[in-house]
């Protein structure tokens, strides 16, 4: 608040008085505290960002309208003036206005409406208070609002409101047998009768992989002179079809880093080494089509059902020649494979709040990846944050996936005995990104245990001890330092390493007459299909999100009623200057309030879906431009509904008497709150300094106010009274004092269309090129 006052007080040209400077600072400070208290109260009531934003705009609009800025108190209906005194904005505006206009520089004698100075006349015309004692009363009332709002927010948050959601647990109707080995055995027998999804078994080989990132600047400050930080060091290995591989290591060992490098998900850094698929060099564009990546965080659109999520994924990830009935068949098969058939109509919901449980979300993530028919699947810690039951269900799903003949690699952090023994092979890494074991686990992890126990000085495993916990303990930096060993060097000098390198060399060569992966043009859904699929998904999400769309339509109706009541029949009588400003206020409110409400409500939706966008584009599901087009298109019908509601209510209630409502309706939804100052209402066009006049013409809100005002008043010939000046007609006043001229309405329409197109293009470019995800 202090900084804002310092930057604006003298720059704007308020009364050059230190006392009045600090008095304005006091008003802004208590106004800020009141606003923060109000927002805390709204957040405690709404409890979600969308609901809090909705309540905020619903409360803010009446506060602004009834606060005496858009329409003076004396112009309000008598029965509405209680709203003026109930608005915190009233007291802030009165205090700041009195602080300025009761200064000596405004004390020149001028008699008008029982006021005897220019400053008091200005306050009187605007319906503001003129007695200085009210300054301190206004400051005290604002402080009182702050106290009340903060107390209410504390009481509501701590005593009256329950948690926003009750965690919903959906139990699968199939009985969960906790004996994991029996479950796996039963599933293997049942899988022989299952129709396998079409895919080609592929091996993945990586040879001498090194990964570097730029050294953080903070480390350079402390005397580290290397330009790059190495996270992976000479890592080699092979993943094969039908083999479930565990990628294990302590925190910071580079498990997820290696997974991201192999999957091509890194957005930063430098990679050295070779990666081959079925003996051919890896091509990322093709690799995304034959691989799947199940991230540790299960990211899905919350307002879709499981079945809709899979329909959407199948539409974009299966080949374009698949018919709808064939896609449905594969969806049902995948749901059966991951045991989601009984939950197909369950909403995904928000993690930890509503909808699916953690293990159900994980199975949905696996199902989405399986729908692409991948040959290779990466899973980043699929059992993290799950209880033993949930982890067993997920691992059963993983095992069934491997048994179809796919290559599956999972990073695992401190697994249980049952989970660890379900893996076939192990890649163990130590801190610094070095490999210290790569090979089969063997029955009851016997191969891995024999390898490490054969190393002199390594503590043997105790009877009943978890092999995974023992392995992580003996491979820790502390143990390695205590017994004086370098596991990475020991592995590099072992016969196991030689065997693995022979396997790497063997699988790095393509089989005879085996061509590289190739998909002909048109094999995958084209841009049109991508747009249709994204639009279908957005439609389903919006239709099932009443908190967003139904609420904003109801808000539009309420705001329209409020503006209509406040400006009731405002256009019937025009005989003084203030009547012009009242109609200008209607145009100003039309240009800004709906847009502000839509912007604040849409931002959380876009932010929520952005992380989904990152996952889906990384999987090659669609072009970012297709997503952006769908996001823009889905908003259009809802905006048209809002504009129709607003215009149908406000126009008849204000009765502006001219037939150009179509122009007003066409322009009214193009609004931007950030262009408030140059809209032509707070500062009239003719009063804007010449060197800032370009901002007026660059402001779509100004175009809207211009179009709405002139379309309603441009043909009016009533004579109005202007204080201190000769009486003029309405049309002359618009041209001379406000700067609105005939013949520019078509220009305003064109400018709106150009601005809408430009903003849509910027949104598309931002979605495509601006990446806030760093990996």
């Amino acid at each position: 608040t202090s900084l804002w006052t310092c930057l604006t007080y003298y720059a704007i040209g308020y009364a050059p008085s230190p006392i009045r400077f600090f008095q304005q600072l006091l008003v802004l400070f208590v106004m800020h505290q009141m606003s923060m208290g109000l927002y805390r109260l709204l957040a405690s009531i709404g409890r979600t960002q969308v609901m809090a934003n909705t309540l905020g705009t619903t409360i803010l609009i009446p506060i602004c309208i009834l606060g005496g800025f858009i329409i003076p108190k004396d112009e309000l209906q008598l029965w509405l003036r209680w709203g003026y005194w109930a608005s915190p904005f009233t007291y802030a505006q009165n205090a700041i206005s009195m602080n300025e206009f009761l200064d000596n520089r405004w004390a020149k004698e001028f008699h008008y409406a029982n006021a005897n100075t220019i400053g008091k006349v200005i306050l009187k015309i605007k319906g503001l208070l003129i007695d200085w004692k009210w300054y301190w009363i206004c400051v005290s009332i604002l402080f009182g609002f702050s106290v009340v709002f903060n107390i209410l927010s504390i009481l509501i948050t701590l005593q009256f409101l329950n948690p926003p959601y009750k965690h919903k647990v959906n139990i699968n109707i199939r009985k969960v047998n906790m004996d994991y080995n029996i479950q796996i055995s039963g599933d293997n027998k049942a899988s022989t009768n299952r129709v396998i999804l079409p895919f080609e078994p592929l091996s993945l080989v990586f040879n001498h992989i090194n990964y570097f990132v730029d050294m953080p600047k903070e480390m350079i400050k402390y005397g580290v002179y290397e330009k790059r930080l190495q996270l992976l060091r000479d890592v080699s290995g092979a993943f094969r079809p039908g083999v479930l591989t565990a990628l294990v290591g302590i925190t910071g060992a580079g498990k997820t880093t290696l997974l991201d490098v192999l999957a091509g998900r890194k957005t930063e850094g430098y990679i050295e080494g070779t990666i081959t698929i079925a003996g051919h060099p890896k091509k990322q564009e093709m690799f995304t089509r034959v691989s799947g990546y199940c991230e540790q965080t299960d990211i899905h659109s919350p307002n879709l059902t499981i079945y809709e999520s899979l329909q959407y994924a199948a539409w974009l990830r299966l080949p374009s020649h698949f018919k709808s009935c064939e896609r449905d068949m594969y969806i049902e098969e995948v749901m059966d494979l991951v045991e989601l058939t009984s939950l197909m109509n369950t909403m995904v919901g928000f993690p930890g709040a509503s909808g699916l449980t953690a293990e159900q979300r994980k199975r949905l993530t696996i199902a989405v990846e399986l729908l692409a028919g991948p040959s290779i699947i990466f899973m980043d810690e699929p059992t993290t944050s799950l209880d033993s039951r949930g982890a067993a269900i997920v691992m059963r799903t993983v095992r069934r996936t491997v048994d179809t003949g796919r290559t599956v690699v999972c990073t695992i952090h401190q697994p249980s005995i049952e989970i660890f023994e379900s893996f076939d092979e192990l890649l163990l890494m130590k801190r610094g990104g070095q490999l210290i074991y790569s090979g089969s686990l063997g029955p009851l992890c016997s191969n891995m245990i024999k390898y490490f126990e054969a190393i002199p000085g390594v503590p043997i495993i105790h009877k009943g001890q978890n092999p995974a916990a023992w392995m992580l303990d003996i491979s820790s930096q502390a143990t390695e330092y205590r017994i004086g060993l370098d596991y990475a060097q020991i592995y590099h000098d072992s016969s196991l390493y030689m065997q693995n390198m022979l396997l790497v060399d063997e699988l790095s060569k393509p089989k005879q007459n085996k061509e590289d992966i190739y998909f002909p043009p048109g094999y995958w859904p084209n841009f049109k299909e991508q747009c249709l699929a994204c639009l279908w998904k957005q439609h389903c999400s919006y239709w099932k999100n009443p908190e967003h769309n139904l609420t904003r339509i109801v808000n539009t109706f309420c705001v329209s009623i409020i503006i209509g009541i406040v400006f009731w029949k405002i256009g019937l009588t025009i005989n003084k200057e203030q009547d012009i400003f009242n109609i200008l206020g209607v145009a100003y409110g039309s240009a800004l309030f709906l847009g502000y409400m839509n912007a604040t409500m849409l931002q959380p939706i876009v932010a929520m879906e952005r992380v989904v966008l990152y996952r889906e584009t990384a999987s090659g599901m669609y072009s970012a431009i297709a997503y952006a087009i769908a996001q823009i298109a889905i908003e259009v019908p809802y905006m048209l509904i809002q504009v129709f509601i607003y215009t149908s209510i406000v126009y008849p209630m204000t009765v502006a008497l001219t037939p150009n409502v179509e122009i007003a309706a066409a322009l009214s939804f193009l609004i931007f709150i950030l262009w408030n100052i140059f809209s032509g209402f707070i500062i009239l066009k003719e009063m804007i300094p010449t060197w800032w006049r370009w901002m007026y013409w660059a402001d779509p809100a100004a175009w809207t106010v211009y179009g709405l005002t002139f379309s309603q008043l441009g043909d009016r010939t009533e004579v109005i009274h202007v204080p201190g000046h000769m009486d003029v007609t309405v049309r002359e006043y618009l041209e001379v004092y406000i700067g609105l001229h005939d013949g520019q309405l078509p220009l305003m329409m064109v400018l709106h269309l150009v601005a809408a197109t430009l903003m849509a293009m910027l949104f598309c470019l931002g979605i495509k090129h601006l990446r806030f995800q760093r990996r």
Side-chain angles (χ1 to χ4, degrees), residues 455-477:
I455 301 174
V458 173
I460 64 172
I461 188 171
H462 300 296
K463 185 178 181 179
Q465 187 177 5
N466 183 353
W470 172 77
M471 172 195 66
L472 291 173
D473 180 59
I474 64 170
S475 63
S476 66
Q477 270 188 317

Side-chain angles (χ1 to χ4, degrees), residues 270-459:
Y270 312 91
I271 301 172
E272 296 177 354
T274 59
I275 304 174
T276 59
I277 310 297
H280 297 278
K282 174 191 168 190
K283 299 176 182 177
Q284 186 60 33
E285 183 178 356
M286 296 300 177
F287 183 70
T288 56
R289 293 295 188 177
V290 297
S291 65
Y293 192 110
C294 300
E295 298 183 0
Q296 181 177 350
T297 304
D298 302 302
I299 303 169
H300 302 284
S301 296
N303 297 308
L304 298 179
T305 64
I306 287 178
Y307 189 68
E308 288 170 340
S309 299
L310 297 180
Q311 279 185 304
Y312 172 64
W315 193 345
L316 290 169
R317 304 196 72 171
L318 287 176
S320 58
H321 64 267
F322 275 48
K323 298 179 181 179
S324 178
C325 59
E326 292 177 309
R327 291 201 298 262
D328 292 340
M329 179 186 67
Y330 287 122
I331 291 171
E332 292 174 2
E333 187 173 327
V334 168
M335 285 195 300
D336 187 47
L337 180 66
V338 299
E339 302 180 59
L340 287 176
T341 303
S342 62
L343 301 171
M344 61 184 297
N345 293 318
T346 303
M347 293 287 289
V348 173
F350 293 90
S354 63
L356 303 179
T357 63
E359 56 89 6
Q360 290 166 353
R361 295 178 68 87
K362 181 62 67 178
R363 283 188 281 149
L364 175 59
T365 299
I366 297 172
V368 168
E369 297 304 319
L370 284 175
L371 276 172
S375 303
I376 302 170
I377 300 180
F378 301 99
M379 298 185 183
D380 189 10
E381 301 196 16
T383 60
T384 297
S385 75
L386 301 181
D387 57 22
S388 58
R389 170 189 173 276
I393 294 174
V394 169
M395 286 308 301
R396 184 169 75 243
T397 300
V398 173
R399 185 73 251 182
R400 297 174 74 179
T401 302
V402 175
D403 292 339
T404 62
R406 290 176 167 82
T407 302
V408 180
V409 184
C410 301
T411 61
I412 296 291
H413 183 68
Q414 295 183 340
S416 65
I417 295 177
E418 294 80 9
I419 290 176
F420 193 55
E421 291 179 348
S422 68
F423 287 91
D424 302 313
E425 293 190 351
L426 168 69
L427 260 72
L428 178 61
M429 303 180 70
K430 75 171 189 176
R431 188 183 296 272
Q434 292 178 286
L435 201 60
I436 61 176
Y437 180 86
S438 177
S440 65
L441 281 171
L444 301 178
C445 306
S446 57
N447 292 350
M448 182 267 295
I449 294 173
K450 289 178 183 178
Y451 173 83
F452 282 105
E453 286 187 335
I455 301 174
V458 173

